[in-house]
Amino acid sequence: MARELQPLIVGGVIGDVLDHFIPTIQMSVTFNNKRVFNGHEFYPSSVLTKPRVEIEGGDMRTFFTLVMTDPDVPGPSDSYLREHLHWIVTDIPGTTDVTFGREVVSFENPRPNIGIHRFVFVLFKQERRQIIKSPSSRDHFNTRNFAAENNLGLPVAAVYFNAQRETAARRR
């Protein structure tokens, strides 16, 4: 699983959003039957609804928290709102998908305005079922601080995709 980190390092996810970690869980993210692979591009029009997120490698006594952010807001060259929070789901039972978890922050579809944005899904293993408070703002979210404040430790899985604003010509 260590080779899974290479695209996260090259894409700047490790560094900008996460510290180095060792993936221990398999997580798949799918929008409309199209699986997310690190660094692949999706049109914003194809990611309007919640993705299906499946977790493999846990058990029914294990719980996870999923966080989705955009570290490139408002644009990659000046991301002063870093990170923008798109989704938080907690108490997700292992060997299942996020529909069985508790949505703390509702899904907000990606809407990049300037440049190519990275949309990052991070999975944390919880020590137990726990109450996670909704952040006060979606802007200036910090995945590292969120994990520390909620005793989540390092991630157990992460994946990201790229998206940029669609022009009329690109939609054809």
Side-chain angles (χ1 to χ4, degrees):
M1 286 194 191
R3 70 175 178 212
E4 292 175 18
L5 289 182
Q6 191 63 28
L8 295 171
I9 294 167
V10 171
V13 172
I14 291 181
D16 290 346
V17 179
L18 303 172
D19 292 325
H20 192 275
F21 71 98
I22 304 298
T24 57
I25 297 291
Q26 288 289 328
M27 173 179 66
S28 68
V29 178
T30 309
F31 285 97
N32 303 315
N33 296 322
K34 292 184 180 176
R35 186 166 176 185
V36 173
F37 291 100
N38 285 318
H40 287 204
E41 185 170 350
F42 280 78
Y43 291 123
S45 61
S46 68
V47 293
L48 295 175
T49 59
K50 288 181 195 177
R52 179 173 178 85
V53 180
E54 296 177 291
I55 300 166
E56 297 174 24
D59 58 47
M60 293 309 286
R61 296 177 310 234
T62 307
F63 295 96
F64 297 93
T65 293
L66 176 76
V67 175
M68 177 187 174
T69 68
D70 174 356
D72 300 315
V73 175
S77 62
D78 186 19
S79 54
Y80 64 87
L81 294 177
R82 175 177 291 164
E83 300 165 54
H84 182 81
L85 178 63
H86 281 268
W87 199 21
I88 296 178
V89 182
T90 65
D91 293 336
I92 305 164
T95 67
T96 188
D97 64 56
V98 298
T99 57
F100 293 99
R102 187 173 66 84
E103 194 173 60
V104 175
V105 175
S106 62
F107 178 77
E108 179 182 272
N109 61 304
R111 293 183 300 251
N113 285 327
I114 303 165
I116 298 171
H117 289 236
R118 297 164 293 168
F119 293 89
V120 183
F121 293 87
V122 184
L123 189 69
F124 295 97
K125 183 177 177 184
Q126 298 173 206
E127 290 182 16
R128 63 195 173 313
R129 281 187 181 262
Q130 63 189 82
I131 301 297
I132 292 181
K133 292 184 256 174
S134 179
S136 58
S137 171
R138 288 184 185 258
D139 287 328
H140 302 290
F141 182 80
N142 185 295
T143 300
R144 288 182 183 98
N145 292 347
F146 173 79
E149 291 164 5
N150 290 286
N151 296 321
L152 295 172
L154 290 173
V156 294
V159 66
Y160 81 100
F161 69 90
N162 294 320
Q164 60 185 311
R165 184 178 180 173
E166 289 180 68
T167 62
R170 287 183 67 202
R171 286 189 204 130
R172 290 183 194 165

